[in-house]
Amino acid sequence: MGTIRIGIAGGAGYTGGELLRILINHPQAEICWVHSNSNAGKSLSDVHADLFGDTNLKFTDTISQDIDALFLCVGHGDAKKFLDSHEISASIKIIDLSQDFRLNSNARHGSRSFVYGLPELNREAIKQAQNIANPGCFATCIQIGILPLADAGLLNSDVHINATTGSTGAGQSLSPTSHFSWRNNNLSVYKAFEHQHLNEIGQSLNQLQNNFDQALNFIPQRGDFTRGILAVMYTETELSLDEAYTLYENFFKDHPFTHISKRNIDLKQLVNTNKALIHLEKHGNKLLIISIIDNLLKGASGHAVQNMNLMFGLGETVGLRLKGVGF
């Protein structure tokens, strides 16, 4: 595969900035344009200060068809609007980071059909896809934690989930719960039992275990840190701990970014990487599953580049061997 020519719509937000950071250093990617109506004419580094010295590109309010792939880093509901208001050649592959096309019930837009882009679930379909709906951040973290059980037909009791996300999960726009003075040294619950990512999680579980009808009791929390998601889950199972580890290791053995740890895990092990880490414990008849990712990378932009690599026949890890901060 030669150079992949890329356009990015909505490049001014957190996911757009992370996508730029990855693609600027991707050996087979060339960023042709970055669309932003509000920042047209500005240098990318005027908005994303960490890119100063890395690129001379400027934002534009026009688009070109001379690209191979289009990343949509726009807000939820805006991906459809962008496609409605811009003519995009059918030959251009699209990777959408919004929630607009994730569910089977809305996975079509005109003549385009979107494949749900979780490689740990749909890697072979992603390789053949023209359009990808990138999964949500919570959905990615939680699914990675429980898909092996569903694949084995062993998800037969309610799943209890408590997951905490960093402040970047709320996006760049200010709100009462994203100001530093509110978020710092604070913790809160939101959208208990009704978070929008539950729909895509349930869809994936039914894809693997078509009789799955158990409750997903999901309590999301806002953390007082910048990036990362830690999901703590438990469900009843007759598996021993050794059997559970064997099940998980076999399920993920061919997936280069997901790793199973017999030692406890923490966010600093993988922040700034495209990894997902899983740790298991057995307490009586309950299996405890801890799953962690960086919400902006494996939860969004890194995941999107992983999908791009698969779609264009590249090695899955190309451009994504990123070093975690560690401390």
Side-chain angles (χ1 to χ4, degrees), residues 315-326:
E316 199 164 342
T317 65
V318 174
L320 290 170
R321 289 296 191 185
L322 306 172
K323 170 65 175 68
V325 293

Side-chain angles (χ1 to χ4, degrees), residues 116-171:
Y116 186 66
L118 184 68
E120 291 79 4
L121 177 69
N122 288 329
R123 184 162 58 186
E124 295 308 310
I126 292 167
K127 289 179 180 179
Q128 305 301 319
Q130 186 70 11
N131 309 286
I132 292 292
N134 218 58
C137 52
F138 270 133
T140 295
C141 192
I142 292 167
Q143 287 177 92
I144 284 174
I146 55 179
L147 284 180
L149 294 171
D151 185 58
L154 297 175
L155 206 54
N156 297 317
S157 64
D158 292 357
V159 184
H160 303 273
I161 308 162
N162 184 296
T164 306
T165 186
S167 59
T168 51

Side-chain angles (χ1 to χ4, degrees), residues 63 78-88 109:
I63 70 169
D78 291 334
K80 287 182 178 179
K81 293 177 183 177
F82 187 90
L83 295 179
D84 286 338
S85 59
H86 296 84
E87 185 176 343
I88 306 298
H109 186 272

Side-chain angles (χ1 to χ4, degrees), residues 51-89:
L51 298 181
F52 182 76
D54 292 334
T55 178
N56 294 318
L57 278 171
K58 296 180 182 294
F59 289 101
T60 179
D61 57 3
T62 62
I63 70 169
S64 164
Q65 299 284 330
D66 189 21
I67 55 173
D68 304 302
L70 170 63
F71 289 86
L72 298 176
C73 297
V74 296
H76 302 312
D78 291 334
K80 287 182 178 179
K81 293 177 183 177
F82 187 90
L83 295 179
D84 286 338
S85 59
H86 296 84
E87 185 176 343
I88 306 298
S89 170

